[in-house]
Amino acid sequence: MKSTRDPRDLEPYLTDESRIVGSADELVWPETAEEVAAVLARAHAEGVPVTVSGAGTGVVGGRVPQGGIILALDRMAGVVSCAATQDGGTMRVLPGTPLATVQQEAARHGLLYPPDPTETGASIGGNIATNASGSRSFRFGSTRRWITRLRVALADGTLLDLPRGAVCARNGRFVVPRPGKPDLVVPAPDWAPPATSKHVVGYHSAPGMDLVDLFCGSEGTLGVVVEAELRLVPAPEQILAGILFFASEERAFAFVDDARDRTVGAVAPMALEYFGRRALDLIRQDTGLPADAQVAILFEQDTTADGRDALVADWIELAARHEASDASWIAEEARDHRRFREFRHRVPVTINEILARR
Ligand SMILES: Cc1cc2nc3c(=O)[nH]c(=O)nc-3n(C[C@H](O)[C@H](O)[C@H](O)COP(=O)(O)OP(=O)(O)OC[C@H]3O[C@@H](n4cnc5c(N)ncnc54)[C@H](O)[C@@H]3O)c2cc1C
C-alpha cells in the first residue's frame, strides 16, 4: 500500500471546500477493504487518529485532518457491477467512485441513481458519509434511502457486511455480529430529529432503525465505507425542466404550494428548488437573467415524448396563475436542461470562489 510522509504529498489533503486547513503526519492510499482494515487496526492499537478522505468537496471540513493519518480512498474507485432488476436495478461501487461515474453507468443501463447532489466530482463514499441530498430530494429523499447494502471497516479494523435489514435496533441497541469475535453491542441513537422532511442533521435516529442508516450521514466517525450497493430506478424517458422567475417571494411560495399539491393537470415535480434574490445576484452577470427576476424556482418532472407537450402546458398554466415572468425558461432540448443544472451549480461554485478570494 502506498503511503507517504512528504509534506508536498500531504498538502492537497489537508483541506477541502471549507478552506479550513489541518495537519497530518502520514497519508495512506489503500486499494482494498483489507488494507483499509489494516490501517485502522494499526492506528487503533497505537492510539493514532485517522481521517477519512473522499474527493474533498465537503464544505464543512469533515475530511480536514487534525493530526495522525489521512486515509485517502482515491485508489478504491470503480463500479463492481450494475444490473437491472424487475423494478429498477442495483449497482455495487467502491467508495472513491465519483458520483458522475455512478450516474453515467446507471444511464448506460437505462437506469437512474435518484439522489442528485450537484457536485458530481464528490465520491460515492463521501455522499454516503454526508447523506448528501440535492434538488431531486424533493421526491427521492437523500442518499440514505438509496443504499441497500454497505461494507464498512470499523475503527478496530473489523470488516462488516451489512445488507439492509440484517441489523436493526431492538430495545435501544444494536447487536452486531462480528466474524470470529464476540457480538458488538452499541446503543442506538434516541434523540428526536427535527420535524422537517429534508435535513441531514446528526446521526440518524428512528425507532427500530437499520444499522445501514446509522452509517449513512455519520461523516466517517463510525467506520469507513469500503463498498456500497445502490438502488436504481428506471430512467425516465424524458425530463422536463424549467426555471421560473418571480417578482416576489410571496408569488414564488404560492406557486410552490400549488406545485406540491399538484393542483394543475399532471404537474407532479421531481425537483423543486428555490433561489433567493441574493443567490441570483451572485450569478446575475453571466447567466442572462431577466432584469426584474427577484426569486427563481427550478423544477424538473419526468415525462414521456408523447406526454411532454401537455405537461409543458400544465406547468405554464401554473406559472401564469402565480404571475411568473414571461421571460421564464422552459427547456426545449437536453442542452437547455444541462444549462439549467449548470445554473444551479453556479451558485455554490460562486460562493466558494468568493470565499477563496478572502
Ligand atoms: C460546488 C459544490 C456543490 C455542492 N452541492 C451539494 C449538494 O447539492 N448536496 C450536498 O449534499 N452536498 C453538496 N456539496 C458538498 C459535497 O459535495 C458533499 O458533502 C459530498 O457528499 C462530499 O463528498 P466527498 O467525496 O467530496 O467527501 P469529502 O469532502 O472527502 O468528505 C466528506 C466527509 O465524508 C467522510 N468520508 C468520505 N468518504 C468516506 C468513506 N468512504 N467512508 C466514511 N467516511 C467517508 C469524510 O471523512 C468527511 O467527514 C457541494 C459542494 C460543492 C463544492
Side-chain angles (χ1 to χ4, degrees):
M1 175 180 11
K2 192 176 169 207
S3 71
T4 177
R5 289 177 177 269
D6 185 334
R8 287 167 303 182
D9 293 332
L10 265 67
E11 197 192 333
Y13 292 87
L14 298 180
T15 188
D16 64 5
E17 289 292 340
S18 69
R19 318 280 161 182
I20 298 167
V21 180
S23 65
D25 307 311
E26 188 182 355
L27 168 63
V28 297
W29 285 279
E31 294 184 35
T32 63
E34 289 68 27
E35 287 183 352
V36 171
V39 172
L40 293 173
R42 166 170 66 96
H44 188 65
E46 294 171 1
V48 176
V50 176
T51 305
V52 192
S53 171
T57 69
V59 290
V60 295
R63 80 133 191 196
V64 177
Q66 306 295 321
I69 301 171
I70 301 167
L71 192 147
L73 293 164
D74 319 16
R75 294 186 178 204
M76 284 180 70
V79 173
V80 179
S81 64
C82 182
T85 57
Q86 235 172 7
D87 54 353
T90 55
M91 188 188 294
R92 280 175 55 206
V93 276
L94 297 176
T97 312
L99 175 61
T101 305
V102 169
Q103 291 173 334
Q104 284 154 14
E105 187 66 11
R108 230 167 50 78
H109 288 78
L111 297 165
L112 177 79
Y113 174 60
D116 191 32
T118 76
E119 180 49 70
T120 57
S123 69
I124 197 71
N127 275 185
I128 294 167
T130 59
N131 188 26
S133 59
S135 53
R136 291 182 188 160
S137 298
F138 175 75
R139 184 187 293 174
F140 296 118
S142 59
T143 298
R144 174 177 291 129
R145 208 201 279 180
W146 302 93
I147 307 302
T148 50
R149 185 178 200 133
L150 281 183
R151 197 161 179 233
V152 291
L154 301 183
D156 67 354
T158 303
L159 281 168
L160 293 182
D161 184 19
L162 294 173
R164 186 171 279 285
V167 181
C168 294
R170 300 249 182 289
N171 303 321
R173 54 188 203 154
F174 294 106
V175 179
V176 189
R178 287 184 299 177
K181 294 183 188 167
D183 289 351
L184 187 66
V185 181
V186 286
D190 62 355
W191 65 288
T196 55
S197 55
K198 185 182 174 191
H199 74 83
V200 289
V201 185
Y203 291 138
H204 187 64
S205 170
M209 65 182 278
D210 197 299
L211 188 56
V212 167
D213 290 331
L214 184 60
F215 281 104
C216 297
S218 66
E219 292 263 357
T221 57
L222 302 178
V224 182
V225 174
V226 292
E227 190 179 311
E229 185 182 80
L230 318 175
R231 181 159 65 93
L232 310 173
V233 296
E237 197 177 308
Q238 291 196 3
I239 294 179
L240 172 67
I243 299 183
L244 306 175
F245 300 103
F246 296 86
S248 72
E249 279 190 343
E250 290 69 28
R251 284 182 192 160
F253 291 165
F255 166 86
V256 166
D257 281 343
D258 269 357
R260 270 184 174 161
D261 295 346
R262 306 179 176 192
T263 58
V264 172
V267 164
M270 178 164 98
L272 265 186
E273 203 154 57
Y274 167 84
F275 301 73
R277 184 181 55 76
R278 294 178 69 179
L280 293 183
D281 284 348
L282 287 174
I283 54 174
R284 202 173 282 280
Q285 255 185 349
D286 330 321
T287 42
L289 287 180
D292 60 345
Q294 296 296 316
V295 177
I297 302 288
L298 175 148
F299 73 85
E300 286 181 352
Q301 182 169 345
D302 44 331
T303 184
T304 57
D306 290 346
R308 185 187 171 90
D309 287 351
L311 189 60
V312 170
D314 288 342
W315 276 98
I316 289 176
E317 184 188 329
L318 182 59
R321 185 191 286 180
H322 296 286
E323 299 177 49
S325 162
D326 291 341
S328 294
W329 305 336
I330 302 261
E332 282 171 12
E333 46 190 84
R335 201 169 37 161
D336 297 330
H337 187 197
R338 276 199 298 279
R339 190 163 58 85
F340 295 174
R341 292 173 66 80
E342 281 158 19
F343 176 93
R344 180 209 189 256
H345 193 55
R346 210 174 166 81
V347 175
V349 166
T350 306
I351 291 170
N352 287 344
E353 284 168 2
I354 293 169
L355 291 176
R357 285 198 296 271
R358 280 193 184 155

